[in-house]
Amino acid sequence: MLANDLGKSLGTGAHLVGLRRTRSGRFTLRTRSRCGVCKDSFNAGEWYRFLIPAAEALADWPMVELDADQVELIRHGHRIQVNRA
C-alpha cells in the first residue's frame, strides 16, 4: 500500500524493493532479540527470558473495561463498540 499510495500521489507507478521496520510501538531495533540468540536460549530451555509481560508489551495501548456481555461477544469473535473517553 505504501508504494501504491506514493505512486498515486506522484501521478506515476511505484513499487518497493525492500522495506525495513525500525519501530513497532515502543519496540525498536535496539530492543530486539536476534533469532540465533532466541533459538539457542530455546534449545537450552531458557526461552522464558524473552517473554515480555502483556501489560508491558501493550503499555501504550488504551485500556478498555468490558462488562460480562461484551466479554462473551469477544470470546465468540464478535466486534464490540467501544466508547473512548
Side-chain angles (χ1 to χ4, degrees):
M1 293 293 288
L2 177 64
N4 186 50
D5 291 347
L6 287 172
K8 281 184 181 179
S9 294
L10 297 171
T12 183
H15 74 279
L16 288 175
V17 173
L19 180 66
R20 182 175 186 174
R21 179 174 292 194
T22 59
R23 179 180 196 94
S24 181
R26 61 183 204 80
F27 300 101
T28 67
L29 292 177
R30 287 186 174 184
T31 61
R32 76 188 184 279
S33 298
R34 301 222 178 251
C35 290
V37 173
C38 291
K39 181 181 176 185
D40 292 344
S41 293
F42 181 81
N43 290 336
E46 298 176 353
W47 53 268
Y48 55 88
R49 293 183 2 191
F50 294 95
L51 293 181
I52 301 169
E56 183 182 336
L58 304 175
D60 56 340
W61 289 29
M63 185 176 99
V64 177
E65 290 189 39
L66 306 176
D67 62 32
D69 292 335
Q70 290 172 316
V71 170
E72 280 304 309
L73 288 170
I74 294 290
R75 281 185 180 157
H76 295 285
H78 297 278
R79 293 181 181 201
I80 59 169
Q81 188 69 29
V82 176
N83 297 323
R84 295 187 184 186

